Amino acid sequence: MKIWGRDNSTNVRKVLWCAEELGLHYEHIPAGGSFGIVSTAEFQALNPNGLVPCMQDGSLVLWESNAIIRYLARQYGEGRFAPADARLWAAADKWMDWASLSFAVPFRDLFWNIVRRTAETRDEAAMLRGQEQCAALMAVADTALTERPWLSGDHLGIGDIPLGCIAYAWFNMPIERPSLPALEAWYDRLSQRKAYRKAVMTALT
């Protein structure tokens, strides 16, 4: 198995974390950003979008981080990562798309302005708007986590992965955050996991 992508990408972290949780053996190939590679003919034969992450498992090539996670869970997860009950799967699966889609714009506006732009080039209005919208979304997750320990249910699963990667930045950026005790406890549990520390808790750049 090969996984292409730079480890400071939220979407790449999602795939690497899932692979680590499942105990998979894989080759991680840094790509995208300063690493290049994505514009080469060889890479675009794998992913014509020229984006990361991209995964190859034998003859199968996949792109789109959530699609890769779903494949890894079904192919190698079983049990808690790929429950046989379609209702349990769907209950976890919805959080994947919720985090990936609902956070797309506000998290980008917040992260780019805090982490990737200088103080002189920040769009303060976009940054504050992103911070407020992310806080409101985190409150939705906090409410769910008062009812069960994980977004996926009784155990960590696919539903926790997208928001878990966003939460790392959320809790480590120099911003004001509302008090969300259930979310904070969930993040603390994530931070104690070896796979999470290895795949997700890398430098914010």
Side-chain angles (χ1 to χ4, degrees):
M1 181 181 294
K2 297 180 180 180
I3 299 172
W4 286 264
R6 50 187 172 81
D7 63 6
N8 66 342
S9 160
T10 296
N11 286 331
V12 174
R13 284 173 171 152
K14 286 156 59 173
V15 173
L16 295 175
W17 177 22
C18 184
E20 288 292 330
E21 287 287 351
L22 296 174
L24 303 181
H25 297 286
Y26 61 91
E27 178 185 359
H28 175 214
I29 304 167
S34 62
F35 297 104
I37 295 179
V38 296
S39 61
T40 65
E42 292 79 7
F43 183 84
Q44 294 200 1
L46 299 172
N47 183 356
N49 301 292
L51 298 172
V52 292
C54 182
M55 183 215 67
Q56 183 172 22
D57 187 19
S59 61
L60 175 68
V61 175
L62 280 178
W63 28 270
E64 294 298 329
S65 58
N66 284 0
I68 296 172
I69 292 167
R70 291 178 179 115
Y71 164 75
L72 294 178
R74 287 179 171 136
Q75 182 73 0
Y76 299 107
E78 300 182 357
R80 63 187 177 93
F81 263 79
D85 188 329
R87 294 169 297 180
L88 294 177
W89 172 272
D93 192 22
K94 74 173 185 287
W95 288 104
M96 291 187 68
D97 288 342
W98 174 82
S100 300
L101 298 173
S102 298
F103 273 90
V105 173
F107 179 70
R108 179 201 64 199
D109 288 345
L110 176 61
F111 183 84
W112 275 82
N113 281 290
I114 289 288
V115 177
R116 294 188 175 169
R117 289 181 175 169
T118 64
E120 295 75 22
T121 61
R122 284 176 183 161
D123 182 335
E124 294 286 342
M127 181 181 69
L128 292 174
R129 183 171 60 249
Q131 185 172 342
E132 291 174 359
Q133 291 175 354
C134 284
L137 290 166
M138 289 296 186
V140 172
D142 180 75
T143 297
L145 289 164
T146 63
E147 301 171 356
R148 53 188 178 273
W150 305 98
L151 295 175
S152 301
D154 293 332
H155 307 281
L156 174 79
I158 61 169
D160 298 276
I161 290 177
L163 188 62
C165 293
I166 294 170
Y168 170 61
W170 173 253
F171 281 108
N172 286 278
M173 287 187 287
I175 58 173
E176 291 186 9
R177 291 172 290 273
S179 176
L180 299 170
L183 184 80
E184 292 161 14
W186 169 78
Y187 175 70
D188 184 61
R189 291 192 294 274
L190 291 179
S191 301
Q192 295 174 35
R193 302 185 71 84
K194 182 179 179 181
Y196 186 80
R197 293 196 301 271
K198 179 179 179 180
V200 179
M201 301 180 80
T202 56
L204 290 177
T205 57

